[in-house]
């Protein structure tokens, strides 16, 4: 240790980290911008990640690495770099003989945006709970998920990046006083989906020991795409956009391999139709990658979930996920759009849901009536629309996974939660202009992480006597207790006053923790769920 610098040796070379003030109390050591794979550039574009090269001399680890190529949500400009496979490690101490549990965060952002840096995911809240926190970047959009159904570009490169990062953790985390034998992966939205895929894929077996999926699982309709039709494959559409209409994957690959990365990602957005935007279709999500030598996803998610997460697993959602999708910030809802939806309600439904409707069976009109009755879709019925979107995009898929996790031969606990703590002045609600009641998608993140964006905007941290502080303290306590023990409430305390019990195996009700200022265990009956369309139809 030298002043505010800390030097350690990992497999690839020497790192110089930096001691930072934790704005709550104490200090932590940050090691930022550590390469966990070779830069995925040139011949490595669209390929599986390769192990990192060693370096000579000491590497400065005080600054974050490049973020993946993406659109800046504030300015709308293209930012980032293809050379983006970096991770960050935050620890209280590197000299402790006692190894701490490790928590590896996988960020969300529709497989299209985001990074592991502190602009959103500041470590201050979590690292003070005696765990080592790792955050990471992975490839996004076409660069992370191009699948031409051929070994030249077989898909899911972004998920494989996270697996490479977990391998790096296994090799190196003990140098940061982390325990490679006690690793928890956790993520939200697209990050929650990746966490769930990792629990189901043989490729990541043994790299972690517990998992948390927040508001995202593999059965959400935006979390997977079938690529059987070349005409609708966005990869071939991109090749055509850049002047080469072809159905030959090798020809498309040779072209896409040399196009400027930012131009590629810009074109990805330009190719989206108005209907696709209305249906919130993600151009490049995960897909079957059976043409890969090391596939991550070998079956449709509806079959895959029956393998079950075979580690202790927390899964849950926020009380009004859908308000994020219907708020005015995204600009998709206006009088013209309402007219379009009311004349053809099917336009609002992501195509992956349509086979489900015919299986129930329920017509589009009956489905619409379940949510809107005789009213039209308008500013006045936005809460109905938010409920509808929340059920389609989040709740139905999450409950399908919960059902699979409850099957009779499950041997590891699954904990279900609903995050209900509402704060009308929350940072995210302000940014997104969400006015509908309930907790919107990703709002809980600001109680797990100290967003340095807030700090940059001069917003004060939570006051120690505030409700926000209490929720932050409770959420980080349960998440880190789970990482330490596999049980989110190993002891009843003022902070965790309720025993969070797991789902009952082969039960016919869902036991869940309602996370609010007064947390409570509650029961949801299978037949009473709004998103159980079959049952709701019978009630009509």
């Amino acid at each position: 240790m030298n002043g505010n610098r800390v030097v350690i040796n990992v497999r690839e070379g020497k790192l110089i980290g930096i001691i930072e003030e934790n704005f709550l109390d104490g200090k932590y050591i940050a090691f930022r911008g550590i390469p966990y794979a070779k830069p995925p550039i040139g011949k490595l574009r669209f390929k599986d990640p390769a192990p990192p090269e060693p370096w000579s001399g000491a590497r400065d680890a005080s600054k974050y690495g490049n973020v993946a190529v993406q659109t800046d949500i504030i300015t709308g400009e293209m930012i980032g770099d293809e050379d983006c496979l970096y991770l960050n490690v935050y620890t209280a101490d590197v000299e402790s003989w006692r190894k701490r549990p490790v928590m590896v965060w996988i960020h969300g952002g529709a497989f299209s945006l985001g990074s592991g840096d502190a602009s959103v995911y500041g470590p201050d809240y979590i690292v003070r709970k005696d765990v080592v926190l790792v955050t990471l970047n992975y490839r996004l959009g076409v660069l992370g998920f191009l699948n031409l159904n051929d070994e030249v570009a077989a898909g899911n490169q972004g998920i494989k990046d996270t697996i490479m990062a977990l391998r790096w953790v296994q090799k190196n985390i003990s140098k940061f006083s982390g325990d490679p034998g006690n690793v928890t992966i956790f993520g939200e939205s697209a990050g929650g989906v990746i966490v769930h895929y990792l629990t189901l894929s043989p490729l990541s077996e043994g790299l972690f020991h517990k998992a948390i999926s927040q508001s995202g699982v593999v059965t959400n309709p935006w979390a997977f795409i079938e690529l059987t039709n070349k005409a609708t494959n966005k990869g071939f559409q991109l090749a055509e956009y850049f002047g080469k209409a072809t159905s030959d994957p090798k020809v498309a690959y040779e072209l896409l391999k040399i196009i400027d990365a930012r131009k590629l990602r810009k074109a990805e957005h330009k190719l989206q139709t108005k209907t696709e935007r209305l249906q919130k279709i993600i151009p490049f999500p995960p897909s079957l990658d059976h043409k890969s030598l090391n596939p991550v996803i070998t079956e449709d998610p509806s079959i895959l979930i029956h393998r079950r997460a075979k580690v202790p697993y927390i899964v849950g959602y926020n009380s009004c996920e859908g308000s994020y999708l219907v708020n005015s910030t995204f600009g998709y809802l206006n009088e013209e759009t309402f007219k379009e939806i009311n004349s053809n309600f099917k336009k609002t439904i992501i195509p992956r849901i349509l086979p489900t409707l015919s299986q129930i069976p329920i017509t589009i009109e009956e489905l619409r009536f379940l949510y809107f009755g005789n009213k039209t879709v308008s500013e006045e019925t936005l809460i109905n629309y938010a409920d509808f979107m929340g059920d389609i995009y989040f709740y139905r898929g999450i409950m399908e996974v919960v059902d699979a996790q409850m099957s009779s031969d499950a041997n590891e606990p699954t904990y279900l939660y609903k995050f209900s703590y509402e704060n009308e002045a929350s940072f995210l609600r302000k940014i997104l202009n969400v006015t509908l009641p309930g907790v919107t998608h990703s709002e809980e993140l600001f109680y797990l992480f100290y967003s340095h964006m807030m700090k940059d905007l001069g917003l004060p941290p939570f006051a120690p006597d505030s409700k926000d502080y209490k929720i932050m303290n409770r959420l980080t306590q349960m998440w880190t207790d789970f990482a330490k023990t596999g049980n989110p409430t190993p002891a009843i305390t003022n902070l965790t006053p309720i025993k969070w019990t797991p789902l009952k195996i082969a039960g016919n009700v869902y036991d869940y923790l309602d996370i609010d200022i007064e947390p409570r265990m509650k029961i949801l009956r299978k037949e009473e769920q709004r998103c159980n369309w079959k049952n709701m139809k019978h009630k009509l």
Side-chain angles (χ1 to χ4, degrees), residues 480-495:
T480 54
D481 275 343
F482 178 73
K484 290 167 189 173
T485 67
N487 177 349
T489 52
I492 299 300
T493 65
N494 288 341
L495 208 47

Side-chain angles (χ1 to χ4, degrees), residues 24-37:
L24 288 173
D25 53 59
K27 293 178 165 56
Y28 61 84
I29 310 167
F31 293 87
R32 303 183 181 107
I34 308 169
Y36 68 81

Side-chain angles (χ1 to χ4, degrees), residues 3 19 60 64 101 119 121 237 239 260 273 276 300 355 365 367-368 378 381 394 414 435 447 482:
I19 298 171
D60 177 16
Y64 292 105
S119 55
Y121 307 113
Q237 287 180 17
D260 174 76
T273 65
E276 285 172 339
D300 187 281
E365 275 313 305
L367 183 62
R368 174 193 169 128
S378 67
T381 54
F394 299 101
T414 297
T435 53
Y447 303 100
F482 178 73

Side-chain angles (χ1 to χ4, degrees), residues 95-109:
E95 290 167 355
S96 170
W97 56 271
R98 184 177 62 82
K99 299 300 178 203
R100 293 177 175 83
V102 180
M103 297 187 76
V104 179
W105 175 252
I106 300 174
H107 71 79

Side-chain angles (χ1 to χ4, degrees), residues 42 45-47 142-143 146-154 157 230-231 233-260 264 271 284:
R45 181 187 279 187
F46 307 131
K47 300 299 184 189
V142 58
L143 297 166
L146 176 72
N147 187 344
L148 297 172
N149 273 322
D150 187 278
E151 71 271 11
V152 292
Q157 301 85 351
K230 284 185 179 178
N233 183 320
K234 291 282 180 197
F236 290 105
Q237 287 180 17
L238 271 179
E240 187 173 351
Y241 177 86
F242 285 107
K244 193 151 274 187
T246 180
S247 60
D248 184 333
K250 291 179 173 59
V251 172
Y253 163 75
E254 288 301 333
L255 173 70
L256 298 176
K257 189 176 73 173
I258 55 170
I259 304 274
D260 174 76
L264 261 187
L271 285 176
F284 288 94

